[in-house]
Amino acid sequence: YPMMKLRYNSMSPYTRKVVIVIAEAGIEDQVERIPTQPWFEFTDAHEVNPLGKIPALVLENGEVLYDSPVICEYVDSLHDGPKLFPPIGDARWTALRRLALGDAAKKRKVGLFGGSRRRVVPGDGVVGECPQRIVIAANLHALAAALAEVADEN
């Protein structure tokens, strides 16, 4: 029978997130993993995903889902167990907020080690510099609080 195909690279934190959701959904046997190097000159990643990024999930019907939050929510819809993405209400917004925190932490980790700075334009029009480390620290603080909420729920 046709299987879904996950175009992935093991170095991608977004791929690792998708792989975890696939495991949590219990559908690992329904997904073929195809290693993909999106940054190589002769890659076919752009043929599967117009963004040229991984992960991308090719469904049995040939339709392609891309962007890890989209793939994760789709995979979560494929099983009957407890959902990682509740369908409605406060639980859904909490889950999506936690997802955004985790994604932001992944995006900003390079700035932590590279010492990059982000330009900030305060309301009075004066341009200042805000160390990326401050933004990362705030993100990690919020992420720690979210993890504490999860621990309290269990």
PDB file of all heavy atoms in Angstrom, residues 11-47:
ATOM      1  N   MET A  11      19.778  16.669  10.776  1.00  0.00           N
ATOM      2  CA  MET A  11      20.348  17.837  11.459  1.00  0.00           C
ATOM      3  C   MET A  11      19.297  18.909  11.755  1.00  0.00           C
ATOM      4  O   MET A  11      19.543  19.828  12.514  1.00  0.00           O
ATOM      5  CB  MET A  11      21.465  18.449  10.608  1.00  0.00           C
ATOM      6  CG  MET A  11      22.644  17.517  10.378  1.00  0.00           C
ATOM      7  SD  MET A  11      23.443  17.017  11.912  1.00  0.00           S
ATOM      8  CE  MET A  11      24.131  18.577  12.431  1.00  0.00           C
ATOM      9  N   SER A  12      18.135  18.780  11.166  1.00  0.00           N
ATOM     10  CA  SER A  12      17.094  19.794  11.316  1.00  0.00           C
ATOM     11  C   SER A  12      16.292  19.598  12.600  1.00  0.00           C
ATOM     12  O   SER A  12      15.689  18.538  12.797  1.00  0.00           O
ATOM     13  CB  SER A  12      16.132  19.735  10.123  1.00  0.00           C
ATOM     14  OG  SER A  12      14.944  20.436  10.399  1.00  0.00           O
ATOM     15  N   PRO A  13      16.232  20.605  13.465  1.00  0.00           N
ATOM     16  CA  PRO A  13      15.394  20.479  14.663  1.00  0.00           C
ATOM     17  C   PRO A  13      13.913  20.387  14.306  1.00  0.00           C
ATOM     18  O   PRO A  13      13.131  19.788  15.031  1.00  0.00           O
ATOM     19  CB  PRO A  13      15.696  21.753  15.451  1.00  0.00           C
ATOM     20  CG  PRO A  13      16.232  22.720  14.458  1.00  0.00           C
ATOM     21  CD  PRO A  13      16.901  21.901  13.395  1.00  0.00           C
ATOM     22  N   TYR A  14      13.524  20.939  13.160  1.00  0.00           N
ATOM     23  CA  TYR A  14      12.124  20.867  12.734  1.00  0.00           C
ATOM     24  C   TYR A  14      11.782  19.445  12.293  1.00  0.00           C
ATOM     25  O   TYR A  14      10.691  18.949  12.566  1.00  0.00           O
ATOM     26  CB  TYR A  14      11.861  21.879  11.618  1.00  0.00           C
ATOM     27  CG  TYR A  14      12.198  23.273  12.079  1.00  0.00           C
ATOM     28  CD1 TYR A  14      13.380  23.884  11.705  1.00  0.00           C
ATOM     29  CD2 TYR A  14      11.352  23.945  12.946  1.00  0.00           C
ATOM     30  CE1 TYR A  14      13.711  25.150  12.165  1.00  0.00           C
ATOM     31  CE2 TYR A  14      11.674  25.208  13.414  1.00  0.00           C
ATOM     32  CZ  TYR A  14      12.849  25.804  13.023  1.00  0.00           C
ATOM     33  OH  TYR A  14      13.167  27.041  13.499  1.00  0.00           O
ATOM     34  N   THR A  15      12.731  18.783  11.652  1.00  0.00           N
ATOM     35  CA  THR A  15      12.541  17.373  11.304  1.00  0.00           C
ATOM     36  C   THR A  15      12.416  16.535  12.569  1.00  0.00           C
ATOM     37  O   THR A  15      11.540  15.672  12.663  1.00  0.00           O
ATOM     38  CB  THR A  15      13.722  16.855  10.459  1.00  0.00           C
ATOM     39  OG1 THR A  15      13.686  17.486   9.183  1.00  0.00           O
ATOM     40  CG2 THR A  15      13.648  15.352  10.281  1.00  0.00           C
ATOM     41  N   ARG A  16      13.270  16.787  13.543  1.00  0.00           N
ATOM     42  CA  ARG A  16      13.214  15.993  14.778  1.00  0.00           C
ATOM     43  C   ARG A  16      11.863  16.165  15.463  1.00  0.00           C
ATOM     44  O   ARG A  16      11.297  15.203  15.990  1.00  0.00           O
ATOM     45  CB  ARG A  16      14.374  16.381  15.700  1.00  0.00           C
ATOM     46  CG  ARG A  16      15.720  15.915  15.133  1.00  0.00           C
ATOM     47  CD  ARG A  16      16.857  16.043  16.137  1.00  0.00           C
ATOM     48  NE  ARG A  16      17.175  17.406  16.487  1.00  0.00           N
ATOM     49  CZ  ARG A  16      18.081  18.153  15.881  1.00  0.00           C
ATOM     50  NH1 ARG A  16      18.764  17.676  14.860  1.00  0.00           N
ATOM     51  NH2 ARG A  16      18.322  19.381  16.287  1.00  0.00           N
ATOM     52  N   LYS A  17      11.311  17.366  15.425  1.00  0.00           N
ATOM     53  CA  LYS A  17       9.989  17.599  16.008  1.00  0.00           C
ATOM     54  C   LYS A  17       8.941  16.745  15.289  1.00  0.00           C
ATOM     55  O   LYS A  17       8.117  16.094  15.930  1.00  0.00           O
ATOM     56  CB  LYS A  17       9.640  19.088  15.914  1.00  0.00           C
ATOM     57  CG  LYS A  17       8.257  19.427  16.426  1.00  0.00           C
ATOM     58  CD  LYS A  17       7.999  20.920  16.468  1.00  0.00           C
ATOM     59  CE  LYS A  17       7.981  21.537  15.102  1.00  0.00           C
ATOM     60  NZ  LYS A  17       7.576  22.953  15.107  1.00  0.00           N
ATOM     61  N   VAL A  18       8.974  16.722  13.963  1.00  0.00           N
ATOM     62  CA  VAL A  18       8.017  15.930  13.179  1.00  0.00           C
ATOM     63  C   VAL A  18       8.176  14.441  13.483  1.00  0.00           C
ATOM     64  O   VAL A  18       7.186  13.730  13.660  1.00  0.00           O
ATOM     65  CB  VAL A  18       8.177  16.222  11.670  1.00  0.00           C
ATOM     66  CG1 VAL A  18       7.416  15.209  10.825  1.00  0.00           C
ATOM     67  CG2 VAL A  18       7.719  17.641  11.352  1.00  0.00           C
ATOM     68  N   VAL A  19       9.413  13.977  13.563  1.00  0.00           N
ATOM     69  CA  VAL A  19       9.664  12.559  13.845  1.00  0.00           C
ATOM     70  C   VAL A  19       9.097  12.176  15.215  1.00  0.00           C
ATOM     71  O   VAL A  19       8.523  11.092  15.379  1.00  0.00           O
ATOM     72  CB  VAL A  19      11.171  12.241  13.732  1.00  0.00           C
ATOM     73  CG1 VAL A  19      11.495  10.868  14.298  1.00  0.00           C
ATOM     74  CG2 VAL A  19      11.618  12.355  12.276  1.00  0.00           C
ATOM     75  N   ILE A  20       9.216  13.053  16.189  1.00  0.00           N
ATOM     76  CA  ILE A  20       8.654  12.781  17.519  1.00  0.00           C
ATOM     77  C   ILE A  20       7.131  12.684  17.454  1.00  0.00           C
ATOM     78  O   ILE A  20       6.527  11.785  18.040  1.00  0.00           O
ATOM     79  CB  ILE A  20       9.102  13.858  18.534  1.00  0.00           C
ATOM     80  CG1 ILE A  20      10.591  13.692  18.837  1.00  0.00           C
ATOM     81  CG2 ILE A  20       8.269  13.790  19.816  1.00  0.00           C
ATOM     82  CD1 ILE A  20      11.201  14.862  19.599  1.00  0.00           C
ATOM     83  N   VAL A  21       6.496  13.580  16.719  1.00  0.00           N
ATOM     84  CA  VAL A  21       5.035  13.543  16.605  1.00  0.00           C
ATOM     85  C   VAL A  21       4.596  12.280  15.872  1.00  0.00           C
ATOM     86  O   VAL A  21       3.604  11.644  16.254  1.00  0.00           O
ATOM     87  CB  VAL A  21       4.494  14.825  15.930  1.00  0.00           C
ATOM     88  CG1 VAL A  21       2.993  14.714  15.677  1.00  0.00           C
ATOM     89  CG2 VAL A  21       4.784  16.039  16.809  1.00  0.00           C
ATOM     90  N   ILE A  22       5.340  11.869  14.847  1.00  0.00           N
ATOM     91  CA  ILE A  22       5.028  10.613  14.145  1.00  0.00           C
ATOM     92  C   ILE A  22       5.095   9.447  15.116  1.00  0.00           C
ATOM     93  O   ILE A  22       4.215   8.580  15.130  1.00  0.00           O
ATOM     94  CB  ILE A  22       5.981  10.414  12.946  1.00  0.00           C
ATOM     95  CG1 ILE A  22       5.629  11.404  11.835  1.00  0.00           C
ATOM     96  CG2 ILE A  22       5.942   8.980  12.442  1.00  0.00           C
ATOM     97  CD1 ILE A  22       6.641  11.467  10.702  1.00  0.00           C
ATOM     98  N   ALA A  23       6.119   9.414  15.965  1.00  0.00           N
ATOM     99  CA  ALA A  23       6.247   8.341  16.964  1.00  0.00           C
ATOM    100  C   ALA A  23       5.109   8.397  17.980  1.00  0.00           C
ATOM    101  O   ALA A  23       4.524   7.364  18.330  1.00  0.00           O
ATOM    102  CB  ALA A  23       7.603   8.437  17.662  1.00  0.00           C
ATOM    103  N   GLU A  24       4.788   9.599  18.461  1.00  0.00           N
ATOM    104  CA  GLU A  24       3.697   9.743  19.436  1.00  0.00           C
ATOM    105  C   GLU A  24       2.366   9.299  18.845  1.00  0.00           C
ATOM    106  O   GLU A  24       1.518   8.758  19.544  1.00  0.00           O
ATOM    107  CB  GLU A  24       3.599  11.190  19.916  1.00  0.00           C
ATOM    108  CG  GLU A  24       4.709  11.618  20.839  1.00  0.00           C
ATOM    109  CD  GLU A  24       4.646  10.935  22.193  1.00  0.00           C
ATOM    110  OE1 GLU A  24       3.536  10.778  22.743  1.00  0.00           O
ATOM    111  OE2 GLU A  24       5.709  10.558  22.704  1.00  0.00           O
ATOM    112  N   ALA A  25       2.178   9.523  17.542  1.00  0.00           N
ATOM    113  CA  ALA A  25       0.936   9.121  16.874  1.00  0.00           C
ATOM    114  C   ALA A  25       0.917   7.616  16.582  1.00  0.00           C
ATOM    115  O   ALA A  25      -0.132   7.076  16.239  1.00  0.00           O
ATOM    116  CB  ALA A  25       0.761   9.905  15.577  1.00  0.00           C
ATOM    117  N   GLY A  26       2.067   6.966  16.708  1.00  0.00           N
ATOM    118  CA  GLY A  26       2.136   5.526  16.479  1.00  0.00           C
ATOM    119  C   GLY A  26       2.015   5.140  15.013  1.00  0.00           C
ATOM    120  O   GLY A  26       1.526   4.058  14.693  1.00  0.00           O
ATOM    121  N   ILE A  27       2.497   6.005  14.108  1.00  0.00           N
ATOM    122  CA  ILE A  27       2.357   5.706  12.675  1.00  0.00           C
ATOM    123  C   ILE A  27       3.711   5.577  11.974  1.00  0.00           C
ATOM    124  O   ILE A  27       3.804   5.741  10.753  1.00  0.00           O
ATOM    125  CB  ILE A  27       1.481   6.766  11.973  1.00  0.00           C
ATOM    126  CG1 ILE A  27       2.133   8.146  12.040  1.00  0.00           C
ATOM    127  CG2 ILE A  27       0.073   6.776  12.541  1.00  0.00           C
ATOM    128  CD1 ILE A  27       1.537   9.132  11.060  1.00  0.00           C
ATOM    129  N   GLU A  28       4.749   5.256  12.724  1.00  0.00           N
ATOM    130  CA  GLU A  28       6.084   5.153  12.133  1.00  0.00           C
ATOM    131  C   GLU A  28       6.127   4.161  10.972  1.00  0.00           C
ATOM    132  O   GLU A  28       6.865   4.367  10.006  1.00  0.00           O
ATOM    133  CB  GLU A  28       7.107   4.756  13.192  1.00  0.00           C
ATOM    134  CG  GLU A  28       7.317   5.838  14.233  1.00  0.00           C
ATOM    135  CD  GLU A  28       8.080   5.345  15.438  1.00  0.00           C
ATOM    136  OE1 GLU A  28       7.556   4.469  16.146  1.00  0.00           O
ATOM    137  OE2 GLU A  28       9.190   5.858  15.652  1.00  0.00           O
ATOM    138  N   ASP A  29       5.325   3.104  11.054  1.00  0.00           N
ATOM    139  CA  ASP A  29       5.311   2.096   9.991  1.00  0.00           C
ATOM    140  C   ASP A  29       4.583   2.563   8.729  1.00  0.00           C
ATOM    141  O   ASP A  29       4.595   1.881   7.709  1.00  0.00           O
ATOM    142  CB  ASP A  29       4.691   0.805  10.496  1.00  0.00           C
ATOM    143  CG  ASP A  29       3.240   0.973  10.939  1.00  0.00           C
ATOM    144  OD1 ASP A  29       2.833   2.106  11.264  1.00  0.00           O
ATOM    145  OD2 ASP A  29       2.516  -0.037  10.966  1.00  0.00           O
ATOM    146  N   GLN A  30       3.974   3.736   8.774  1.00  0.00           N
ATOM    147  CA  GLN A  30       3.247   4.280   7.624  1.00  0.00           C
ATOM    148  C   GLN A  30       4.031   5.389   6.924  1.00  0.00           C
ATOM    149  O   GLN A  30       3.529   5.998   5.974  1.00  0.00           O
ATOM    150  CB  GLN A  30       1.891   4.836   8.069  1.00  0.00           C
ATOM    151  CG  GLN A  30       0.975   3.806   8.677  1.00  0.00           C
ATOM    152  CD  GLN A  30      -0.278   4.450   9.244  1.00  0.00           C
ATOM    153  OE1 GLN A  30      -0.833   5.365   8.661  1.00  0.00           O
ATOM    154  NE2 GLN A  30      -0.715   3.955  10.392  1.00  0.00           N
ATOM    155  N   VAL A  31       5.251   5.659   7.405  1.00  0.00           N
ATOM    156  CA  VAL A  31       6.037   6.779   6.878  1.00  0.00           C
ATOM    157  C   VAL A  31       7.411   6.294   6.447  1.00  0.00           C
ATOM    158  O   VAL A  31       8.176   5.778   7.256  1.00  0.00           O
ATOM    159  CB  VAL A  31       6.185   7.902   7.930  1.00  0.00           C
ATOM    160  CG1 VAL A  31       6.998   9.061   7.364  1.00  0.00           C
ATOM    161  CG2 VAL A  31       4.825   8.374   8.419  1.00  0.00           C
ATOM    162  N   GLU A  32       7.693   6.457   5.163  1.00  0.00           N
ATOM    163  CA  GLU A  32       9.022   6.168   4.640  1.00  0.00           C
ATOM    164  C   GLU A  32       9.863   7.431   4.793  1.00  0.00           C
ATOM    165  O   GLU A  32       9.423   8.526   4.433  1.00  0.00           O
ATOM    166  CB  GLU A  32       8.935   5.785   3.162  1.00  0.00           C
ATOM    167  CG  GLU A  32      10.264   5.550   2.508  1.00  0.00           C
ATOM    168  CD  GLU A  32      10.156   5.307   1.015  1.00  0.00           C
ATOM    169  OE1 GLU A  32       9.035   5.228   0.481  1.00  0.00           O
ATOM    170  OE2 GLU A  32      11.220   5.225   0.378  1.00  0.00           O
ATOM    171  N   ARG A  33      11.062   7.285   5.311  1.00  0.00           N
ATOM    172  CA  ARG A  33      11.958   8.442   5.488  1.00  0.00           C
ATOM    173  C   ARG A  33      12.928   8.522   4.322  1.00  0.00           C
ATOM    174  O   ARG A  33      13.604   7.554   4.003  1.00  0.00           O
ATOM    175  CB  ARG A  33      12.722   8.325   6.795  1.00  0.00           C
ATOM    176  CG  ARG A  33      11.836   8.407   8.014  1.00  0.00           C
ATOM    177  CD  ARG A  33      12.690   8.421   9.243  1.00  0.00           C
ATOM    178  NE  ARG A  33      11.906   8.253  10.440  1.00  0.00           N
ATOM    179  CZ  ARG A  33      12.414   8.297  11.656  1.00  0.00           C
ATOM    180  NH1 ARG A  33      13.707   8.516  11.834  1.00  0.00           N
ATOM    181  NH2 ARG A  33      11.641   8.136  12.708  1.00  0.00           N
ATOM    182  N   ILE A  34      12.980   9.703   3.713  1.00  0.00           N
ATOM    183  CA  ILE A  34      13.869   9.919   2.579  1.00  0.00           C
ATOM    184  C   ILE A  34      14.834  11.052   2.932  1.00  0.00           C
ATOM    185  O   ILE A  34      14.425  12.216   3.023  1.00  0.00           O
ATOM    186  CB  ILE A  34      13.066  10.275   1.311  1.00  0.00           C
ATOM    187  CG1 ILE A  34      12.094   9.146   0.983  1.00  0.00           C
ATOM    188  CG2 ILE A  34      14.009  10.560   0.144  1.00  0.00           C
ATOM    189  CD1 ILE A  34      11.132   9.464  -0.134  1.00  0.00           C
ATOM    190  N   PRO A  35      16.118  10.714   3.153  1.00  0.00           N
ATOM    191  CA  PRO A  35      17.102  11.752   3.486  1.00  0.00           C
ATOM    192  C   PRO A  35      17.180  12.790   2.360  1.00  0.00           C
ATOM    193  O   PRO A  35      17.182  12.440   1.179  1.00  0.00           O
ATOM    194  CB  PRO A  35      18.417  10.985   3.616  1.00  0.00           C
ATOM    195  CG  PRO A  35      18.026   9.556   3.792  1.00  0.00           C
ATOM    196  CD  PRO A  35      16.710   9.390   3.090  1.00  0.00           C
ATOM    197  N   THR A  36      17.225  14.052   2.743  1.00  0.00           N
ATOM    198  CA  THR A  36      17.226  15.147   1.775  1.00  0.00           C
ATOM    199  C   THR A  36      18.220  16.210   2.229  1.00  0.00           C
ATOM    200  O   THR A  36      18.269  16.551   3.404  1.00  0.00           O
ATOM    201  CB  THR A  36      15.808  15.761   1.674  1.00  0.00           C
ATOM    202  OG1 THR A  36      14.885  14.714   1.353  1.00  0.00           O
ATOM    203  CG2 THR A  36      15.736  16.839   0.617  1.00  0.00           C
ATOM    204  N   GLN A  37      18.978  16.722   1.276  1.00  0.00           N
ATOM    205  CA  GLN A  37      19.963  17.772   1.547  1.00  0.00           C
ATOM    206  C   GLN A  37      19.487  19.049   0.855  1.00  0.00           C
ATOM    207  O   GLN A  37      19.851  19.300  -0.291  1.00  0.00           O
ATOM    208  CB  GLN A  37      21.341  17.369   1.023  1.00  0.00           C
ATOM    209  CG  GLN A  37      21.839  16.025   1.515  1.00  0.00           C
ATOM    210  CD  GLN A  37      22.077  16.013   3.013  1.00  0.00           C
ATOM    211  OE1 GLN A  37      22.282  17.042   3.634  1.00  0.00           O
ATOM    212  NE2 GLN A  37      22.037  14.833   3.613  1.00  0.00           N
ATOM    213  N   PRO A  38      18.674  19.880   1.497  1.00  0.00           N
ATOM    214  CA  PRO A  38      18.077  21.027   0.803  1.00  0.00           C
ATOM    215  C   PRO A  38      19.076  22.103   0.397  1.00  0.00           C
ATOM    216  O   PRO A  38      18.788  22.911  -0.473  1.00  0.00           O
ATOM    217  CB  PRO A  38      17.073  21.578   1.812  1.00  0.00           C
ATOM    218  CG  PRO A  38      17.590  21.139   3.131  1.00  0.00           C
ATOM    219  CD  PRO A  38      18.257  19.807   2.894  1.00  0.00           C
ATOM    220  N   TRP A  39      20.253  22.114   0.977  1.00  0.00           N
ATOM    221  CA  TRP A  39      21.211  23.182   0.692  1.00  0.00           C
ATOM    222  C   TRP A  39      22.233  22.775  -0.375  1.00  0.00           C
ATOM    223  O   TRP A  39      23.050  23.570  -0.764  1.00  0.00           O
ATOM    224  CB  TRP A  39      21.924  23.620   1.964  1.00  0.00           C
ATOM    225  CG  TRP A  39      22.460  22.473   2.749  1.00  0.00           C
ATOM    226  CD1 TRP A  39      23.649  21.854   2.584  1.00  0.00           C
ATOM    227  CD2 TRP A  39      21.797  21.780   3.793  1.00  0.00           C
ATOM    228  NE1 TRP A  39      23.773  20.816   3.453  1.00  0.00           N
ATOM    229  CE2 TRP A  39      22.645  20.744   4.221  1.00  0.00           C
ATOM    230  CE3 TRP A  39      20.552  21.923   4.414  1.00  0.00           C
ATOM    231  CZ2 TRP A  39      22.292  19.860   5.235  1.00  0.00           C
ATOM    232  CZ3 TRP A  39      20.215  21.049   5.422  1.00  0.00           C
ATOM    233  CH2 TRP A  39      21.088  20.034   5.829  1.00  0.00           C
ATOM    234  N   PHE A  40      22.167  21.524  -0.870  1.00  0.00           N
ATOM    235  CA  PHE A  40      23.089  21.102  -1.922  1.00  0.00           C
ATOM    236  C   PHE A  40      22.642  21.692  -3.256  1.00  0.00           C
ATOM    237  O   PHE A  40      21.450  21.873  -3.513  1.00  0.00           O
ATOM    238  CB  PHE A  40      23.126  19.585  -2.026  1.00  0.00           C
ATOM    239  CG  PHE A  40      23.941  18.900  -0.958  1.00  0.00           C
ATOM    240  CD1 PHE A  40      24.424  19.587   0.135  1.00  0.00           C
ATOM    241  CD2 PHE A  40      24.216  17.560  -1.050  1.00  0.00           C
ATOM    242  CE1 PHE A  40      25.160  18.959   1.119  1.00  0.00           C
ATOM    243  CE2 PHE A  40      24.962  16.915  -0.072  1.00  0.00           C
ATOM    244  CZ  PHE A  40      25.434  17.615   1.004  1.00  0.00           C
ATOM    245  N   GLU A  41      23.603  21.964  -4.115  1.00  0.00           N
ATOM    246  CA  GLU A  41      23.303  22.592  -5.403  1.00  0.00           C
ATOM    247  C   GLU A  41      22.358  21.749  -6.250  1.00  0.00           C
ATOM    248  O   GLU A  41      21.470  22.273  -6.916  1.00  0.00           O
ATOM    249  CB  GLU A  41      24.610  22.829  -6.169  1.00  0.00           C
ATOM    250  CG  GLU A  41      24.411  23.508  -7.502  1.00  0.00           C
ATOM    251  CD  GLU A  41      25.718  23.773  -8.224  1.00  0.00           C
ATOM    252  OE1 GLU A  41      26.796  23.527  -7.648  1.00  0.00           O
ATOM    253  OE2 GLU A  41      25.641  24.227  -9.368  1.00  0.00           O
ATOM    254  N   PHE A  42      22.517  20.451  -6.241  1.00  0.00           N
ATOM    255  CA  PHE A  42      21.720  19.584  -7.108  1.00  0.00           C
ATOM    256  C   PHE A  42      20.609  18.862  -6.349  1.00  0.00           C
ATOM    257  O   PHE A  42      20.279  17.732  -6.649  1.00  0.00           O
ATOM    258  CB  PHE A  42      22.632  18.579  -7.829  1.00  0.00           C
ATOM    259  CG  PHE A  42      23.641  19.260  -8.693  1.00  0.00           C
ATOM    260  CD1 PHE A  42      24.966  19.325  -8.319  1.00  0.00           C
ATOM    261  CD2 PHE A  42      23.247  19.874  -9.868  1.00  0.00           C
ATOM    262  CE1 PHE A  42      25.903  19.972  -9.112  1.00  0.00           C
ATOM    263  CE2 PHE A  42      24.171  20.527 -10.675  1.00  0.00           C
ATOM    264  CZ  PHE A  42      25.506  20.576 -10.292  1.00  0.00           C
ATOM    265  N   THR A  43      20.022  19.531  -5.379  1.00  0.00           N
ATOM    266  CA  THR A  43      18.938  18.928  -4.606  1.00  0.00           C
ATOM    267  C   THR A  43      17.632  18.967  -5.390  1.00  0.00           C
ATOM    268  O   THR A  43      17.449  19.810  -6.273  1.00  0.00           O
ATOM    269  CB  THR A  43      18.754  19.659  -3.264  1.00  0.00           C
ATOM    270  OG1 THR A  43      17.771  18.963  -2.507  1.00  0.00           O
ATOM    271  CG2 THR A  43      18.306  21.100  -3.460  1.00  0.00           C
ATOM    272  N   ASP A  44      16.744  18.064  -5.043  1.00  0.00           N
ATOM    273  CA  ASP A  44      15.399  18.091  -5.623  1.00  0.00           C
ATOM    274  C   ASP A  44      14.378  18.577  -4.586  1.00  0.00           C
ATOM    275  O   ASP A  44      13.179  18.458  -4.806  1.00  0.00           O
ATOM    276  CB  ASP A  44      15.008  16.725  -6.165  1.00  0.00           C
ATOM    277  CG  ASP A  44      14.855  15.681  -5.059  1.00  0.00           C
ATOM    278  OD1 ASP A  44      15.317  15.930  -3.916  1.00  0.00           O
ATOM    279  OD2 ASP A  44      14.283  14.614  -5.333  1.00  0.00           O
ATOM    280  N   ALA A  45      14.868  19.131  -3.467  1.00  0.00           N
ATOM    281  CA  ALA A  45      13.969  19.564  -2.389  1.00  0.00           C
ATOM    282  C   ALA A  45      12.932  20.561  -2.892  1.00  0.00           C
ATOM    283  O   ALA A  45      11.764  20.512  -2.495  1.00  0.00           O
ATOM    284  CB  ALA A  45      14.756  20.162  -1.231  1.00  0.00           C
ATOM    285  N   HIS A  46      13.331  21.453  -3.785  1.00  0.00           N
ATOM    286  CA  HIS A  46      12.397  22.467  -4.300  1.00  0.00           C
ATOM    287  C   HIS A  46      11.312  21.853  -5.182  1.00  0.00           C
ATOM    288  O   HIS A  46      10.259  22.435  -5.375  1.00  0.00           O
ATOM    289  CB  HIS A  46      13.156  23.538  -5.078  1.00  0.00           C
ATOM    290  CG  HIS A  46      13.856  23.008  -6.284  1.00  0.00           C
ATOM    291  ND1 HIS A  46      15.043  22.332  -6.194  1.00  0.00           N
ATOM    292  CD2 HIS A  46      13.503  23.019  -7.577  1.00  0.00           C
ATOM    293  CE1 HIS A  46      15.405  21.951  -7.411  1.00  0.00           C
ATOM    294  NE2 HIS A  46      14.493  22.355  -8.264  1.00  0.00           N
ATOM    295  N   GLU A  47      11.555  20.656  -5.728  1.00  0.00           N
ATOM    296  CA  GLU A  47      10.539  19.982  -6.534  1.00  0.00           C
ATOM    297  C   GLU A  47       9.431  19.409  -5.651  1.00  0.00           C
ATOM    298  O   GLU A  47       8.290  19.281  -6.084  1.00  0.00           O
ATOM    299  CB  GLU A  47      11.170  18.874  -7.375  1.00  0.00           C
ATOM    300  CG  GLU A  47      12.117  19.407  -8.431  1.00  0.00           C
ATOM    301  CD  GLU A  47      12.892  18.314  -9.133  1.00  0.00           C
ATOM    302  OE1 GLU A  47      12.539  17.130  -8.988  1.00  0.00           O
ATOM    303  OE2 GLU A  47      13.851  18.654  -9.838  1.00  0.00           O
TER     304      GLU A  47
END
